[in-house]
Amino acid sequence: LAHFIQFGTDTTKHLGAGERGGVVNSYFSAFGHLPISEADWMDVIKIANGRWPTARNTNLENKNKSEVFKKIYKREANMADAKDNAAVTIITYGLRPLNRNMNSEANAIKHFKGIFGSNPSSATDWDIVIAISYSGATR
């Protein structure tokens, strides 16, 4: 765990140590445990590279779809729509974008604060900011 956060892998070196720690925190938030098995670590690497993990937490996905997505976008998520699907998946698992846009993220933080009444502070909050910034879903 410490080695991954400090040094990363060939495909996660583009993230800083803090962001790799955030990926592990997002994994923990989604699955309720730290990565243990090789399959867990493969999912951590997928998340860090903006890819859907193999393991799924359908209960959390459904909760995020019916509660969080609806609160942000003021409508039901259409999981057949790639942008809505991306938003729910990013919120649930914390997928990281390969290319970051600080202006989009700053704007998303303002939206987050307007919706939730506070600045983002937890891993889940930051995953919501990432979804707002990069999923393409709209109200």
Side-chain angles (χ1 to χ4, degrees), residues 32-85:
H33 63 86
L34 292 172
I36 301 165
S37 69
E38 185 175 334
D40 294 346
W41 281 107
M42 294 304 292
D43 278 343
V44 168
I45 292 168
K46 286 177 182 178
I47 290 166
N49 286 291
R51 295 177 38 222
W52 274 231
T54 301
R56 303 304 287 256
N57 182 340
T58 54
N59 289 336
L60 186 57
E61 285 180 32
N62 289 332
K63 180 179 183 236
N64 287 333
K65 182 170 61 171
S66 65
E67 295 176 17
V68 180
F69 183 95
K70 195 169 187 175
K71 185 168 186 168
I72 296 166
Y73 298 103
K74 303 215 181 274
R75 62 180 178 83
E76 297 288 330
N78 174 4
M79 295 305 279
D81 178 276
K83 293 175 181 179
D84 287 7
N85 190 308

Side-chain angles (χ1 to χ4, degrees), residues 110-132:
K110 290 176 189 173
H111 286 295
F112 179 95
K113 189 171 182 177
I115 295 164
F116 296 98
S118 65
N119 285 317
S121 59
S122 69
T124 302
D125 291 350
W126 285 105
D127 295 343
I128 292 168
V129 169
I130 293 169
I132 294 169

